[in-house]
């Protein structure tokens, strides 16, 4: 290309975003990092840019603001970082669970923020490597840090009373325009993410300014500002399912994959990142071998298989690293790599087969680690729970189960057949093999004819982050007529502090103090919830 033409193009892209933004396509692959829940140092961001560039991933999305901390200097509103960037505890979970969720100042608080000069430099550096940085400023929910620092932006006008902006107040939009002017000044990205997820809107119902307004009305008003600034707005999918139909807004789908297809067919640009498949805050390996994660299980191979499957619509693809349980840059790198390699490969016109990808990823992971990136060590992966990988044979397989307390419709697993179908659960409560009970569990298994028993095993899953706990008591009794019951075992179980763990309750005969029943037809199993309440999750009653 002629030098003057290159100059003209570069000049117009840098200085006249209007010329390019509306016709821009989303980057095909995006890695999102939440730097609000835990602030990550700049050096970490530079390293991620280097690695994204190396593997051809074209965009880094920074979730810059959320309740846990506002991370970008805004010159017009220094309160946002003077106060909103610092909190009273270094670890998100301590801060979030302490019931107070207070902010602090730099001298006494924990956190941090990026200055505009630092961000400008990072953006230029990334652009030089072909990586664009998409900033996200949350609106109108997830904004406790804003309404604490600038209470006039909330419906109540008081700090620490609202997670949401007042969406009926003109001042809110003036504030957002001021902020977005500074954001657009630093980030040339044609796309600016404005959040839109999980807004509670509790005060909107009673606030005289907001009454009758919906979140999508607020996002439309914001979209007008973003368009005036020459950019395209991205929102989380609540904004689309909540009724926004302006196709100039790009939709980032984190909940149902069906929404991605619908939004695409109604003409939106779409980023596909359903939490189930694309959120990297899950365990990458057996929970007992890993630092605490959000729960769930997303090993590299499953991630890759999904990304190259036909289930994925023709949208941009993103992997999202939320950092509630990711306190350090080392942790963040371990959660990101080698998983981001799956995205890099899936973006290629002809991605490798799963097996070839695995071999390539193992080689690349060694290189990443040799370069000092704290990638998860694939060479020492434990892998899925062994019981998950084959169907168990046992005396109760296929037996009918009657439930005195029903399983919950949200977690039916395979329905009434689930606890005796031979299929056991894996490391994730969402893998479709775990049946969930809200409160107590009480069920009876009919073996069809009396059988002599040697053992009964039942495994429960605990995932504290989503309020699934091990039972506080496990009781088994047997009968031949459903009238007279012989107790076999009654086991109290102390609360287990580990966040994610499986525990198998067992009755065995003959064993110390365990009676040996004659042949029996019915087995009744009761499990009591933990003192905290919550869920019980079980996968199979294995009888020998
Ligand atoms: C989200 O996970 N709330 C986008």
């Amino acid at each position: 290309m002629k030098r003057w033409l290159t100059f003209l193009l570069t000049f117009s892209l840098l200085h006249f975003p209007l010329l390019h933004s509306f016709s821009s396509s989303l980057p095909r692959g995006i890695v999102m990092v939440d730097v609000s829940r835990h602030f990550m140092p700049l050096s970490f961001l530079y390293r991620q840019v280097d690695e994204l560039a190396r593997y051809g991933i074209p965009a880094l999305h920074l979730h810059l603001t959320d309740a846990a901390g506002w991370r970008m200097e805004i010159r017009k509103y220094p309160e946002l970082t003077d106060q909103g960037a610092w909190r009273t505890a270094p670890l998100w979970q301590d801060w979030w669970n302490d019931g107070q969720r207070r902010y602090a100042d730099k001298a006494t608080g924990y956190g941090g923020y990026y200055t505009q000069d630092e961000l400008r430099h990072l953006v230029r550096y990334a652009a030089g490597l072909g990586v664009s940085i998409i900033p996200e400023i949350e609106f109108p929910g997830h904004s406790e840090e804003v309404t604490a620092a600038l209470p006039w932006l909330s419906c109540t006008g008081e700090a620490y009373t609202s997670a949401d902006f007042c969406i009926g107040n003109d001042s809110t939009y003036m504030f957002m325009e001021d902020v977005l002017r500074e954001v657009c000044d630093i980030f040339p990205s044609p796309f600016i993410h404005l959040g839109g997820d999980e807004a509670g809107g509790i005060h909107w119902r009673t606030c005289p300014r907001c009454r009758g307004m919906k979140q999508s009305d607020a996002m439309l008003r914001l979209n007008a500002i973003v368009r005036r600034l020459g950019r395209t707005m991205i929102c989380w999918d609540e904004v689309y399912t909540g009724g926004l139909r302006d196709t100039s807004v790009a939709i980032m789908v984190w909940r149902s994959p069906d929404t991605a297809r619908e939004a695409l067919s109604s003409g939106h640009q779409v980023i596909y990142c359903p939490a189930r498949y694309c959120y990297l805050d899950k365990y990458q390996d057996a929970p007992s071998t890993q630092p605490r994660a959000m729960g769930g299980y997303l090993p590299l191979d499953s991630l890759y298989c999904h990304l190259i499957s036909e289930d994925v619509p023709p949208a941009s693809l993103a992997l999202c690293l939320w950092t509630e349980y990711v306190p350090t840059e080392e942790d963040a790198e371990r959660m990101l790599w080698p998983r981001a390699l799956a995205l890099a490969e899936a973006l290629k016109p002809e991605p490798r087969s799963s097996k070839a990808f695995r071999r390539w990823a193992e080689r690349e992971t060694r290189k990443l680690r040799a370069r000092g990136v704290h990638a998860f060590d694939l060479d020492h992966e434990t892998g899925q729970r062994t019981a998950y990988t084959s169907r168990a044979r046992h005396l109760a397989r296929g037996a009918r189960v009657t439930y005195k307390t029903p399983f919950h419709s949200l977690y039916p697993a395979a329905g009434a057949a689930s606890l005796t179908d031979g299929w056991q659960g894996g490391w994730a409560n969402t893998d479709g093999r775990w049946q969930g009970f809200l409160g107590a569990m009480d069920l009876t298994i009919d073996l069809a004819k009396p059988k002599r028993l040697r053992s009964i095993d039942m495994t429960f899953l605990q995932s504290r982050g989503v309020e699934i706990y091990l039972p506080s008591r496990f009781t088994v009794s047997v009968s031949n007529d459903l009238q007279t019951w012989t107790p076999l075992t009654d086991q109290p179980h102390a609360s287990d502090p580990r966040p994610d763990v499986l525990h198998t309750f067992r009755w065995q005969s003959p064993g110390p103090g365990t009676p040996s029943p004659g042949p029996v037809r019915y087995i009744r199993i009761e499990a009591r919830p933990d003192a905290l309440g919550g869920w019980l999750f079980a996968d199979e009653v294995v009888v020998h």
Side-chain angles (χ1 to χ4, degrees), residues 138 142 197-198 236 238 254 275 279 322:
E138 266 281 7
H142 281 274
D197 59 320
E198 300 183 307
W236 295 108
E238 282 91 333
W254 69 282
Y279 274 22
W322 298 103

Side-chain angles (χ1 to χ4, degrees), residues 275-300 302 325 334-335 339 383-385 411 425-432 434 461-468 499-502 537:
R276 172 152 192 202
Y277 306 107
C278 298
Y279 274 22
L280 304 185
D281 50 5
K282 302 185 182 72
Y283 287 98
Q284 196 161 187
D285 200 0
S288 61
T289 66
Q290 299 297 298
R292 179 167 193 180
M294 185 58 116
Y297 175 53
L298 184 67
L300 180 68
S302 318
Y325 293 98
R334 181 176 35 75
M335 298 303 253
R339 282 152 151 181
Q384 181 56 285
R385 180 185 176 210
Y411 297 101
W427 303 129
N429 69 295
T430 51
D431 61 24
W434 294 99
L461 171 144
Q462 173 160 287
S463 188
R464 286 184 165 267
V466 283
E467 295 178 10
I468 304 171
D500 293 275
V501 69
L502 304 187
F537 267 49

Side-chain angles (χ1 to χ4, degrees), residues 18-340:
L18 263 174
L19 291 180
H20 68 111
S21 70
F22 295 140
S23 56
S24 292
S25 310
L26 283 166
R28 287 191 53 239
I30 300 170
V31 165
M32 189 221 81
V33 182
D34 165 13
V35 291
S36 173
R37 268 44 174 266
H38 286 103
F39 178 68
M40 298 290 158
L42 262 181
S43 54
F44 165 84
L45 297 182
Y46 277 94
R47 246 189 349 268
Q48 305 324 300
V49 166
D50 285 342
E51 298 302 336
L52 295 179
R54 186 185 305 278
Y55 292 108
I57 297 175
L60 173 65
H61 161 186
L62 293 180
H63 184 77
L64 285 166
T65 72
D66 211 299
W70 180 285
R71 306 295 180 209
M72 173 182 170
E73 176 192 17
I74 299 294
R75 294 196 174 145
K76 186 152 184 184
Y77 300 102
E79 303 91 328
L80 290 169
T81 44
D82 285 351
Q83 183 185 338
W86 310 95
R87 63 178 185 235
T88 52
L91 286 183
W92 175 86
Q93 64 202 71
D94 295 340
W95 180 75
W96 190 251
N97 294 330
D98 79 358
Q100 299 288 317
R101 300 181 191 168
R102 296 287 143 155
Y103 303 94
D105 56 28
K106 185 173 177 179
T108 57
Y110 301 89
Y113 66 91
Y114 309 111
T115 67
Q116 295 200 356
D117 289 342
E118 287 169 338
L119 286 171
R120 204 187 300 277
H121 194 275
L122 175 73
V123 164
R124 284 218 189 104
Y125 176 83
L129 294 176
V131 175
S132 109
I133 302 194
I134 301 173
E136 178 180 354
I137 304 293
E138 266 281 7
F139 179 88
H142 281 274
S143 298
E144 288 92 333
E145 85 291 23
V146 180
T147 57
L150 303 167
W152 48 273
L153 289 168
S154 70
C155 294
T156 60
E158 280 174 45
Y160 298 111
T161 55
S162 179
D164 308 311
F165 282 84
C166 176
I167 56 171
N169 189 345
D170 289 343
S171 304
T172 292
Y173 301 92
M174 286 183 227
F175 165 83
M176 284 304 287
E177 178 152 4
D178 291 338
V179 167
L180 288 173
R181 279 191 188 285
E182 295 193 29
V183 168
C184 289
D185 191 41
I186 304 296
F187 294 93
S189 161
F191 295 91
I192 308 287
H193 200 309
L194 271 305
D197 59 320
E198 300 183 307
I202 292 170
H203 298 289
W204 300 344
R205 286 177 222 133
T206 47
C207 170
R209 292 194 181 100
C210 300
R211 221 174 290 157
M213 279 189 79
K214 296 197 304 277
Q215 149 150 305
S216 51
D217 302 327
M219 297 314 282
L220 266 184
R221 218 170 142 180
L222 211 54
N223 190 36
I225 298 171
V226 175
R227 285 171 70 83
R228 266 207 307 282
L229 293 168
R231 311 299 175 95
T232 297
M233 180 164 92
I234 305 174
C235 296
W236 295 108
D237 64 55
E238 282 91 333
V239 173
Y240 174 78
T241 55
L244 181 137
R245 287 293 175 272
D246 181 332
T247 55
S248 71
V249 178
I251 309 295
M252 187 152 177
V253 177
W254 69 282
R255 299 178 303 166
S256 165
D258 292 341
T259 306
R261 278 178 213 101
E262 276 169 38
L264 275 171
S265 60
S266 32
H268 291 271
Q269 292 201 70
V270 169
I271 303 168
Y272 175 87
C273 59
R276 172 152 192 202
Y277 306 107
C278 298
Y279 274 22
L280 304 185
D281 50 5
K282 302 185 182 72
Y283 287 98
Q284 196 161 187
D285 200 0
S288 61
T289 66
Q290 299 297 298
R292 179 167 193 180
M294 185 58 116
Y297 175 53
L298 184 67
L300 180 68
D301 305 70
S302 318
L303 172 60
Y304 184 63
C305 283
H306 180 71
L307 291 182
I308 59 166
S309 75
E310 310 247 300
D311 297 339
V312 175
S316 289
L317 302 179
L319 300 180
C320 298
L321 180 60
W322 298 103
T323 57
E324 283 92 338
Y325 293 98
V326 183
T328 68
E329 57 185 306
E330 290 81 9
D331 291 319
E333 276 188 347
R334 181 176 35 75
M335 298 303 253
L336 282 171
W337 302 99
R339 282 152 151 181

